[in-house]
Amino acid sequence: MTADLLQSLTDPQREAVLHVDGPLLVLAGPGSGKTRVITHRIAHLLSQGVRPTQIAALTFTNKAADEMRSRLDRLAPGENVWIGTFHRFCARLLRQYAEYRGLQPNYTIYDTSDSLSLLKRTIRETDVQLTHATPEQVASAISWAKNHLIEADRYVGGVNATGSIVERVYPKYQAALQQANAVDFDDLLMHVTLLLKENEELRASLDERFRYILVDEYQDTNLPQYAIVRAMSIQYPNLGVTGDPDQSIYGWRGANLKNILEFESDFPAVKVVRLEQNYRSTPNILSVADALIANNKQRKKKSLFTDNPAGKAVRMIQYSTHKEEAQAIAARISAQVAQGKRRPRDYAIFYRINALSRTFEDAMRQQGVPYMIVSGVEFYHRKEIKDLLAYALLMNNPRDDVAFERIVNVPKRAIGKATLLKVRLHAATEGLSMLEAAREAGMIDGLGNRAAVALAKFVALFDRLSTKINDPVEEILGFVLSESEFKRQYEATDDVEDQTRLENIEELLSSAREYDTEHPHDGTLEHYLEEKTLVNETDDFDAEMDRVTLMTLHAAKGLEFPVVHIVALEQGLLPHERSRENPEQLEEERRLLFVGITRAEEELDLSMARYRDFRGKRNMTIPSPFLMELPRDEMEVTEEQTAFAPDFPLDESFFPEFPISGQRSLDLPRPALPSAVTNIRTAADLLGEREGDAQPRVEPNAFVQGMVVTHDEYGLGKIIALSGEGAKRTATVRFASGAGEKKFRLAYSPLRPA
Ligand code: ATP
Ligand code: MG
């Protein structure tokens, strides 16, 4: 390793990079070079004679892994170090040792939607009444159990209704997976954990093989991930982890902060390095981040400084409507790009949930700003893509019942539900896979001749396809398309959507072509399918593309952008409504915002809208309580002045969370808002107001929590609670006038939406 590579590091960074044997914990805030330490440390280990195959570097997203690989390629070109996500790492180990877990090496990995459809089938066949729980809730309970390493036969449901359903369904679901030679995402981790736990020799040999394990974003590991790296670091305890407890955002997936907080007690001989200099952000941005995270109770305080120039003040902007928010941001980006100040790829827009992206997409398109939405999973979730891949999955693993059921009648082959039910029954009684059962169609009780012939034709098609299994992937998919007449279903129509489907199929073929080119010798259908199943959120992201990035806050982890916009900072969105009653989840939401803020290098805008159309309704919003926690004096706080405002005399006492300052230092081009006034009408219309109706009757259900209402006598107020149904629907309103809180039966009250 050349000296100048070490020179580009601070003293503590260098200390971590030069560490060779023994456990290492790098605990540091955002932008302090943790990821940089990992890549440099790998390069250093290689320079010390450690063989590349003895190193494994684990992360959480493919994007982070790719980034690490390209950084390492610059430091140590051509070295064959294993770098990837935990899930990929486990998928690979499980292929090698599948039989230890009762699987075959060609097992299928079910994505979330495939697992859910298998689960639904299991629920139907288990004869349980799902009155108290949805299949999704059962799925999440099973996922929770797996992330806590509770196996199906050890699951005890307890007294509540959902628990006892899960107790009955989980073992059956697991058996169905096993029967189909398949695993779900959580299984990848759980199988490998159990593999290591139950086979000491194997564990010891893997411990020896991967002598140096490095984990980035260690704060987000859950119990199985922790157990895996821990089990492989006993004889060779060279486990090096980097993390920031303040950036732990996967509690809902079972991530356990204890893993990082207790690392020091797990490995008493650990070398601990703290990095305190931030290289990413301006002091203004860091101070906002710092003030926010200081509100979390469950944390160790860290100090972080930067030598970067102060930069611009962080801006907090309140827009009138969600549309205005999106348009103003798009217009600002468009103007700055047009002036040559920045490039589109310098900007990122983060939101809490995917559903919020639509308005921003529209605004970007209107302004002609190139953008990309980062959510790689979507493409592979499209029906035509899943269908086509299901053929390949079934070829790879003929026991994959979910794939079989998905395509046996796609395109239509007159194989209906009744037929499938009989095949399934036959499979269950004979202990066969669906495909094997279909082979015996002639022997299935009560199956008509036509159905038996249709099944036999399908089996013959399958056998024909299977002869190609070792061809390049593009050829395999092409062969499936031609033999199965798959495209026929979309070609025959003028439907625009079918046109899009055909384009998507072409897109999939190009991905296969790319795969074949990248893997001229070692490519297999199985590996291609695994790559496609394990795509995750940030996979579409390509920093080289000159586009504005739109992504969720979760996907933004580990990344950095010169200008960051965090939008829709409103109660119920950020923090998410499900964190309302739960202080721990509220802290996690705060960390999520902290992660978002600390992605910004030079400029940061935080915004909200007073009205937002969401889930088909227009609601008056409540500002996110997190906004109240920020150091306003150091920030530029702005309320957009529009036609909306005069109708809506808010003052500080009314919205103590978001005092409106007199400052109106807007430097952004004002979006044209000809419709602002009509918007109010539209809002009122939506809520039931009719023109000329002096005392409009408002549907009780039109009143929602947080809505601002008006009362002839008491004036403006805000609904702070709602109870009862129908004619008894009651709202508690807090009035701004000093009238205090009052309750109203909505069916009879003169309350109106403001
Ligand atoms: P996060 O917690 O957000 O993942 P991190 O601690 O992993 O952040 P890095 O992404 O490694 O931080 O580094 C942040 C930025 O600072 C990167 O652009 C990196 O190249 C730069 N950087 C880190 N250390 C130095 C250094 N010593 N000299 C110059 N630039 C540095
Ligand atoms: Mg990092």
Side-chain angles (χ1 to χ4, degrees):
M1 189 173 186
T2 57
D4 53 311
L5 277 175
L6 286 175
Q7 253 170 19
S8 69
L9 300 168
T10 61
D11 287 348
Q13 286 176 342
R14 194 174 308 124
E15 196 185 335
V17 165
L18 293 177
H19 177 86
V20 176
D21 285 318
L24 170 73
L25 168 63
V26 178
L27 201 59
S32 58
K34 295 184 295 299
T35 306
R36 189 181 175 101
V37 160
I38 294 215
T39 47
H40 281 66
R41 183 160 173 250
I42 296 175
H44 180 252
L45 288 174
L46 293 170
S47 76
Q48 297 301 297
V50 174
R51 274 181 277 133
T53 48
Q54 293 176 325
I55 304 176
L58 299 167
T59 63
F60 284 83
T61 62
N62 294 313
K63 162 69 195 145
D66 289 349
E67 172 73 30
M68 218 186 260
R69 169 155 310 285
S70 67
R71 286 198 204 176
L72 182 66
D73 271 346
R74 265 172 265 146
L75 302 174
E79 294 283 19
N80 187 22
V81 175
W82 201 92
I83 300 182
T85 64
F86 270 99
H87 284 89
R88 275 181 205 272
F89 184 71
C90 291
R92 195 182 77 149
L93 282 185
L94 199 56
R95 292 248 182 253
Q96 276 174 337
Y97 304 105
E99 69 275 22
Y100 283 79
R101 301 295 307 156
L103 294 162
Q104 292 169 353
N106 59 338
Y107 69 82
T108 305
I109 303 166
Y110 284 165
D111 67 15
T112 320
S113 71
D114 291 339
S115 327
L116 191 64
S117 66
L118 184 70
L119 180 67
K120 283 182 180 163
R121 200 184 88 194
T122 313
I123 291 171
R124 278 199 302 277
E125 290 171 358
T126 310
D127 187 32
V128 288
Q129 288 300 315
L130 270 201
T131 38
H132 297 287
T134 59
E136 286 78 7
Q137 282 168 328
V138 176
S140 100
I142 292 177
S143 170
W144 185 92
K146 289 182 176 178
N147 285 326
H148 291 80
L149 295 175
I150 301 168
E151 288 172 85
D153 54 352
R154 283 179 38 232
Y155 188 92
V156 182
V159 287
N160 76 30
T162 313
S164 64
I165 291 173
V166 176
E167 189 175 322
R168 292 180 58 197
V169 171
Y170 181 13
K172 292 223 162 75
Y173 167 70
Q174 210 55 26
L177 281 167
Q178 208 81 16
Q179 162 67 32
N181 189 28
V183 303
D184 64 22
F185 283 151
D186 300 317
D187 278 341
L188 284 173
L189 302 175
M190 189 161 88
H191 276 305
V192 170
T193 311
L194 296 172
L195 187 76
L196 293 166
K197 191 172 149 209
E198 290 164 3
N199 305 282
E200 173 51 28
E201 254 177 58
L202 179 61
R203 187 210 60 72
S205 76
L206 289 170
D207 188 346
E208 187 175 353
R209 177 158 132 212
F210 295 106
R211 291 195 197 179
Y212 296 88
I213 297 180
L214 298 91
V215 184
D216 199 11
E217 308 270 1
Y218 187 71
Q219 75 277 355
D220 282 320
T221 48
N222 64 16
L223 184 63
Q225 287 159 337
Y226 164 74
I228 289 165
V229 292
R230 188 82 170 70
M232 296 206 296
S233 310
I234 295 175
Q235 287 97 319
Y236 296 89
N238 309 320
L239 177 60
V241 308
T242 61
D244 176 6
D246 287 335
Q247 294 186 62
S248 162
I249 54 176
Y250 282 102
W252 51 279
R253 240 166 38 183
N256 195 341
L257 259 183
K258 275 194 189 154
N259 296 346
I260 196 162
L261 298 176
E262 292 177 3
F263 194 89
E264 293 178 66
S265 53
D266 282 347
F267 294 96
V270 64
K271 176 180 191 76
V272 181
V273 175
R274 288 171 214 277
L275 309 174
E276 298 189 330
Q277 178 162 6
N278 175 298
Y279 278 91
R280 180 180 295 145
S281 313
T282 65
N284 276 324
I285 292 166
L286 281 187
S287 118
V288 169
D290 213 39
L292 175 77
I293 204 66
N295 290 279
N296 269 9
K297 299 207 167 54
Q298 290 192 359
R299 72 183 287 259
K300 281 187 188 169
K301 207 172 159 356
K302 290 194 298 292
S303 55
L304 201 60
F305 72 95
T306 181
D307 285 342
N308 291 342
K312 291 192 177 169
V314 173
R315 310 191 321 157
M316 189 196 287
I317 308 170
Q318 185 177 162
Y319 294 99
S320 297
T321 66
H322 67 291
K323 263 197 179 161
E324 217 180 285
E325 180 186 44
Q327 283 169 354
I329 292 172
R332 181 161 184 259
I333 296 176
S334 164
Q336 293 186 345
V337 170
Q339 291 160 13
K341 284 191 188 157
R342 290 192 189 276
R343 315 189 51 153
R345 66 159 177 249
D346 293 339
Y347 299 87
I349 300 176
F350 303 151
Y351 33 79
R352 175 67 179 83
I353 52 174
N354 270 314
L356 288 168
S357 72
R358 173 70 49 214
T359 322
F360 291 92
E361 281 183 77
D362 290 347
M364 294 288 163
R365 263 198 304 269
Q366 278 168 16
Q367 303 275 349
V369 179
Y371 69 92
M372 62 178 153
I373 299 229
V374 178
S375 62
V377 282
E378 259 168 37
F379 179 77
Y380 292 100
H381 280 181
R382 294 187 177 127
K383 181 184 176 327
E384 62 279 12
I385 299 303
K386 289 216 67 154
D387 286 348
L388 182 52
L389 286 176
Y391 276 92
L393 285 163
L394 189 63
M395 287 164 67
N396 183 58
N397 171 19
R399 275 169 52 190
D400 185 344
D401 289 352
V402 170
F404 176 90
E405 294 206 26
R406 186 165 191 107
I407 45 137
V408 66
N409 200 34
V410 176
K412 291 210 167 21
R413 303 187 176 94
I415 299 173
K417 278 193 178 156
T419 304
L420 277 181
L421 207 63
K422 287 177 191 138
V423 177
R424 198 179 301 138
L425 196 68
H426 184 71
T429 43
E430 301 294 320
L432 301 173
S433 69
M434 295 283 282
L435 183 72
E436 285 165 337
R439 278 189 199 285
E440 301 183 354
M443 291 154 56
I444 298 178
D445 277 350
L447 199 65
N449 198 32
R450 271 181 56 191
V453 170
L455 282 170
K457 276 193 183 163
F458 176 77
V459 173
L461 165 69
F462 175 81
D463 289 343
R464 241 179 5 258
L465 297 178
S466 297
T467 59
K468 300 283 176 189
I469 184 110
N470 293 321
D471 286 6
V473 179
E474 187 192 1
E475 283 173 34
I476 298 178
L477 294 181
F479 191 64
V480 171
L481 285 175
S482 60
E483 289 295 296
S484 67
E485 302 188 17
F486 188 84
K487 281 190 184 168
R488 185 192 59 193
Q489 43 180 345
Y490 305 127
E491 277 167 350
T493 71
D494 291 334
D495 195 331
V496 194
E497 281 206 21
D498 284 343
Q499 201 49 47
T500 314
R501 292 207 166 96
L502 287 170
E503 285 164 15
N504 291 336
I505 291 169
E506 287 306 321
E507 182 72 29
L508 186 71
L509 287 176
S510 20
S511 94
R513 193 174 319 132
E514 250 168 56
Y515 175 85
D516 291 333
T517 322
E518 283 165 17
H519 300 268
H521 308 298
D522 60 345
T524 61
L525 180 63
E526 179 175 294
H527 182 239
Y528 169 79
L529 292 169
E530 181 175 310
E531 286 214 333
K532 297 308 153 197
T533 314
L534 295 180
V535 286
N536 57 25
E537 271 206 313
T538 52
D539 274 14
D540 268 359
F541 179 70
D542 181 353
E544 301 306 312
M545 285 220 286
D546 205 359
R547 292 168 185 273
V548 175
T549 302
L550 271 62
M551 55 166 50
T552 63
L553 286 159
H554 277 100
K557 193 165 80 150
L559 306 179
E560 52 193 18
F561 300 89
V563 185
V564 166
H565 289 268
I566 304 177
V567 300
L569 277 153
E570 295 147 26
Q571 178 73 275
L573 289 172
L574 185 64
H576 194 278
E577 59 185 327
R578 75 173 169 228
S579 66
R580 188 196 301 240
E581 307 282 320
N582 184 330
E584 276 182 24
Q585 281 186 10
L586 189 72
E587 295 214 340
E588 179 150 319
E589 294 289 308
R590 197 178 275 113
R591 290 194 292 269
L592 191 55
L593 178 57
F594 177 78
V595 166
I597 290 175
T598 54
R599 301 306 96 201
E601 294 170 3
E602 294 162 28
E603 288 181 49
L604 172 67
D605 276 20
L606 306 171
S607 62
M608 61 158 296
R610 271 193 245 150
Y611 279 93
R612 180 171 302 278
D613 288 358
F614 191 61
R615 301 203 175 117
K617 270 193 193 156
R618 168 156 301 192
N619 285 331
M620 175 83 200
T621 66
I622 302 177
S624 167
F626 296 150
L627 291 174
M628 202 171 55
E629 300 170 357
L630 306 181
R632 248 158 247 275
D633 323 343
E634 302 166 18
M635 300 166 67
E636 186 182 310
V637 181
T638 308
E639 180 213 5
E640 284 284 73
Q641 186 71 323
T642 71
F644 230 64
D647 274 29
F648 205 84
L650 293 180
D651 62 27
E652 297 207 4
S653 63
F654 195 68
F655 269 132
E657 305 96 326
F658 199 96
I660 293 157
S661 86
Q663 206 179 346
R664 304 205 189 286
S665 51
L666 281 182
D667 66 350
L668 59 147
R670 175 68 50 75
L673 282 171
S675 59
V677 178
T678 27
N679 273 349
I680 304 176
R681 283 269 164 266
T682 326
D685 282 349
L686 276 174
L687 297 167
E689 190 175 339
R690 297 282 171 275
E691 222 168 314
D693 193 348
Q695 217 33 268
R697 280 186 53 80
V698 183
E699 202 359 73
N701 287 339
F703 291 94
V704 292
Q705 175 106 15
M707 180 188 265
V708 175
V709 291
T710 168
H711 184 279
D712 285 348
E713 194 180 336
Y714 305 121
L716 279 178
K718 183 158 65 169
I719 297 184
I720 55 168
L722 284 164
S723 59
E725 291 303 336
K728 289 194 179 155
R729 188 91 174 135
T730 304
T732 309
V733 179
R734 185 182 294 148
F735 287 99
S737 59
E741 285 177 21
K742 299 207 178 301
K743 285 194 172 180
F744 298 92
R745 279 279 172 86
L746 289 169
Y748 312 108
S749 82
L751 282 183
R752 275 171 297 131

